[in-house]
Amino acid sequence: GQQLNQSPQSMFIQEGEDVSMNCTSSSIFNTWLWYKQDPGEGPVLLIALYKAGELTSNGRLTAQFGITRKDSFLNISASIPSDVGIYFCAGQLGNTPLVFGKGTRLSVIA
Amino acid sequence: DAGITQSPRHKVTETGTPVTLRCHQTENHRYMYWYRQDPGHGLRLIHYSYGVKDTDKGEVSDGYSVSRSKTEDFLLTLESATSSQTSVYFCAISVSGQGIDYGYTFGSGTRLTVV
């Protein structure tokens, strides 16, 4: 099946630093989404991207849908302790189920 | 906020026993999904449903069956649980409206341990 390569697998950063993570695929998607998962909870949608080249922000978060439709990145600016969690990218083609990356575990050191 | 509830939240069961996990939604969404989450693997699709009695297999469907006899409930059954099925199971619904796709909303998960 389709696979998404998400990197890095984990990150340890100082509070206040910017964070960048990305996802690549061998297949094209027409929707890219980014989710965050807190411990003991299900993933929660952060940003959805629907068009190649689209750049979307949600507060300190910015995500882009790659022009080739095979990649996406998520940036977090000025990280704070509550940014800790696992971040997942997900891609979708048409009406098929979402395919998820393996996640990036973010730890923030105060 | 889409109402989606999973039960039980935690379960410990013995190898070889059948187990059923329940996902309940309150907003009449058509599409429902079961994923499992394991370290190093992220979220992998087990089965999904696109309507009452309409289901299809996902990437890791072996050893699992599903049923959807009414819109609000999507059941996942492990016919004979094995230790490899120890995992956290998430149900999700696809939320859309007025031509806008809002992605999936996930339940809080069921942590299943097979001993």
Side-chain angles (χ1 to χ4, degrees):
Chain A
Q2 292 174 314
Q3 288 193 335
L4 296 186
N5 297 309
Q6 186 171 349
S7 64
Q9 284 187 324
S10 61
M11 306 179 73
F12 289 84
I13 61 166
Q14 296 276 353
E15 184 177 354
E17 287 184 353
D18 296 343
V19 173
S20 186
M21 59 190 78
N22 69 84
C23 242
T24 60
S25 170
S26 56
S27 311
I28 62 170
F29 291 108
N30 53 24
T31 303
W32 281 94
L33 304 110
W34 286 91
Y35 285 83
K36 184 195 177 201
Q37 184 181 31
D38 291 324
E41 296 297 327
V44 173
L45 183 65
L46 296 174
I47 291 181
L49 303 155
Y50 302 107
K51 226 164 57 167
E54 180 182 354
L55 184 72
T56 297
S57 293
N58 178 7
R60 294 179 296 106
L61 277 59
T62 301
Q64 183 157 30
F65 190 143
I67 199 74
T68 65
R69 297 170 62 191
K70 292 184 179 182
D71 62 318
S72 177
F73 72 75
L74 174 71
N75 288 342
I76 306 172
S77 63
S79 58
I80 59 178
S82 62
D83 290 334
V84 164
I86 303 176
Y87 292 79
F88 291 100
C89 61
Q92 186 176 34
L93 185 64
N95 223 14
T96 59
L98 291 182
V99 178
F100 285 84
K102 295 182 180 180
T104 295
R105 184 179 294 273
L106 179 64
S107 301
V108 179
I109 305 164
Chain B
D1 188 27
I4 178 168
T5 307
Q6 290 186 234
S7 59
R9 287 296 312 271
H10 303 270
K11 185 167 182 69
V12 179
T13 192
E14 292 187 348
T15 300
T17 61
V19 177
T20 295
L21 309 182
R22 181 181 183 237
C23 179
H24 178 78
Q25 58 141 329
T26 58
E27 297 192 0
N28 222 31
H29 294 287
R30 183 180 167 197
Y31 288 85
M32 299 183 75
Y33 308 84
W34 278 106
Y35 285 85
R36 61 177 287 176
Q37 183 177 16
D38 304 288
H41 291 278
L43 291 155
R44 292 180 293 172
L45 181 68
I46 305 171
H47 282 279
Y48 66 102
S49 171
Y50 45 96
V52 172
K53 297 193 176 154
D54 291 324
T55 64
D56 207 346
K57 295 179 180 180
E59 177 190 356
V60 290
S61 59
D62 286 349
Y64 301 95
S65 62
V66 289
S67 68
R68 191 155 178 214
S69 58
K70 38 186 183 170
T71 301
E72 57 265 36
D73 288 324
F74 191 30
L75 304 180
L76 176 71
T77 297
L78 290 66
E79 303 290 347
S80 176
T82 67
S83 59
S84 65
Q85 293 176 311
T86 292
S87 185
V88 181
Y89 292 85
F90 286 101
C91 176
I93 55 177
S94 179
V95 181
S96 61
Q98 298 183 333
I100 299 175
D101 185 349
Y102 296 103
Y104 294 177
T105 296
F106 283 84
S108 296
T110 294
R111 183 173 293 275
L112 177 69
T113 303
V114 183
V115 298

